[in-house]
Amino acid sequence: MTKTAKIITGVLIMLLVAASYGYWQLRQYANSALTIRQDTLFTLAAGSGRVVLKSQLEGQKLVKPGPWFSALLWLEPKLAHFKAGTYRFTPGMTVRQMLMLLDSGKEAQFPLRFVEGTRMQEWLQQLRNAPYLKHLLPEDTLAAVATALKLSGEQQGVEGWFWPDTYLYPAGTSDVALLMRAHQRMVQQVEREWQQKADGLPYKTPGDLLTMASIIEKETAISTERDKVASVFINRLRLGMRLQTDPTVIYGMGSDYKGSLTRKDLDTPTAYNTYTINGLPPGPIAMPGKASLTAAAHPEQSDFLYFVADGKGGHTFTTNLASHIKAVQVWRQVLKDKK
């Protein structure tokens, strides 16, 4: 071997060693963890390229600065097809996994829990405070919701016509879109219960069933009582008795309700005061869950006309006024003993 050949061979060996070392370093970098200790949200704007992404990641101290990030994207171009959005990076996630996540477009999902028995005004406040949600409603009113969702007929009342559940949404989802999802689910559930309801119930429209379900929802949280509560109100409707249910009075009072009801409150007429009006109130008073809808559609067959709290978290159900008065006296004694 000539001296020149030896030099060339030596140079090639050195280049091969350098390339091997560089490739090893690149693999190490790709498999190294992001420099985070807790879940971190990262937003990549539309139109961002490799340079912008590298600058963001280094600027937010998510990856170590240096040439390796650009080299990795050059050597493995399939990792450079990232999509705009807001993503959740987790501790232990590697640079490669992070790039694969950006390529997948699987954005972070944010949960929003709407609880059974709550009202639209409470939902609107939750929406207003929800992170990464786009606010399109011009104001936090039921009328604004009805207009934005283009509701008509009995659904235009808004209250009650939204399904309580935990909803997941990506960043940039609008409050209107989220409410539309909840509304469509409630409409479907009401229609299902309406089609399967027991015969002979004193409802004229699906909205009546929903209104009854909302009252049941506010009257008891005990699953085994819901069909009994429903039977009391159904029996009263059939006999032409007023429902006389406190939650409707509270709803009708609006902001005037301060935490307790007085005799004057019960005697003061409102559209929702079932102590002063006959039949059902003009619409739901809350968002009922499935159990209350089912109870409204399939009430227990009973002769109950009254119920009152038993002081133990449940209720005492009675068929006549004399028995009801005794049950009320027991309840009052329980309250007195607790003081």
Side-chain angles (χ1 to χ4, degrees), residues 74-311:
W74 177 79
L75 190 65
E76 298 187 41
K78 64 180 181 180
L79 295 177
H81 299 155
F82 29 83
K83 301 176 179 66
T86 297
Y87 299 86
R88 177 173 282 107
F89 297 161
T90 57
M93 177 180 284
T94 66
V95 173
R96 182 184 300 279
Q97 290 171 333
M98 177 266 293
L99 288 170
M100 291 174 66
L101 176 64
L102 296 181
D103 174 63
S104 72
K106 295 179 180 178
E107 296 186 62
Q109 298 290 314
F110 301 91
L112 187 57
R113 170 73 173 153
F114 294 129
V115 179
E116 296 90 338
T118 51
R119 302 174 182 175
M120 177 51 69
Q121 283 297 341
E122 296 171 80
W123 287 34
L124 291 175
Q125 186 60 48
Q126 286 183 258
L127 288 168
R128 185 61 60 186
N129 297 330
Y132 292 91
L133 196 67
K134 185 188 299 182
H135 301 289
L136 297 182
L137 290 172
E139 55 185 7
D140 293 340
T141 64
L142 274 62
V145 174
T147 300
L149 273 62
K150 300 179 181 179
L151 303 183
S152 61
E154 58 186 354
Q155 297 176 21
Q156 192 173 14
V158 173
E159 195 75 87
W161 285 100
F162 295 81
W163 186 252
D165 201 353
T166 297
Y167 292 88
L168 297 177
Y169 65 92
T173 299
S174 73
D175 47 9
V176 173
L178 207 55
L179 285 174
M180 181 59 76
R181 284 170 58 188
H183 174 65
Q184 290 173 344
R185 288 186 61 187
M186 180 60 87
V187 170
Q188 293 170 358
Q189 190 65 40
V190 170
E191 180 61 26
R192 188 176 298 115
E193 295 292 352
W194 180 255
Q195 295 299 329
Q196 299 174 358
K197 71 181 186 303
D199 295 332
L201 296 178
Y203 304 137
K204 296 179 181 178
T205 67
D208 288 347
L209 186 150
L210 181 62
T211 297
M212 177 63 78
S214 72
I215 296 173
I216 296 168
E217 188 71 53
K218 297 299 290 185
E219 281 286 7
T220 182
I222 301 176
S223 58
T224 56
E225 285 192 349
R226 287 192 175 98
D227 54 354
K228 288 185 175 63
V229 170
S231 74
V232 170
F233 294 134
I234 292 297
N235 291 339
R236 281 178 165 257
L237 287 175
R238 284 171 173 162
L239 293 172
M241 295 176 65
R242 288 177 175 171
L243 298 185
Q244 295 184 320
T245 169
D246 292 357
T248 63
V249 180
I250 294 171
Y251 187 84
M253 291 176 65
S255 59
D256 291 335
Y257 177 67
K258 305 303 181 183
S260 61
L261 289 175
T262 65
R263 171 50 59 181
K264 181 180 179 182
D265 295 330
L266 300 182
D267 293 338
T268 301
T270 72
Y272 286 83
N273 186 348
T274 52
Y275 283 82
T276 63
I277 65 171
N278 297 320
L280 289 165
I285 59 173
M287 313 297 179
K290 186 178 187 308
S292 293
L293 277 170
T294 300
H298 300 277
E300 180 179 301
Q301 294 185 5
S302 77
D303 295 323
F304 295 135
L305 291 174
Y306 306 89
F307 64 92
V308 66
D310 59 11

Side-chain angles (χ1 to χ4, degrees), residues 19-35 63-64 67-69 71-72 75-76 79 92-97 99:
S20 298
Y21 177 74
Y23 182 71
W24 178 82
Q25 283 280 67
L26 195 61
R27 291 289 300 274
Q28 288 291 102
Y29 175 80
N31 294 323
S32 65
L34 301 180
T35 56
V63 300
K64 296 178 181 179
W68 298 113
F69 186 81
L72 177 61
L75 190 65
E76 298 187 41
L79 295 177
M93 177 180 284
T94 66
V95 173
R96 182 184 300 279
Q97 290 171 333
L99 288 170

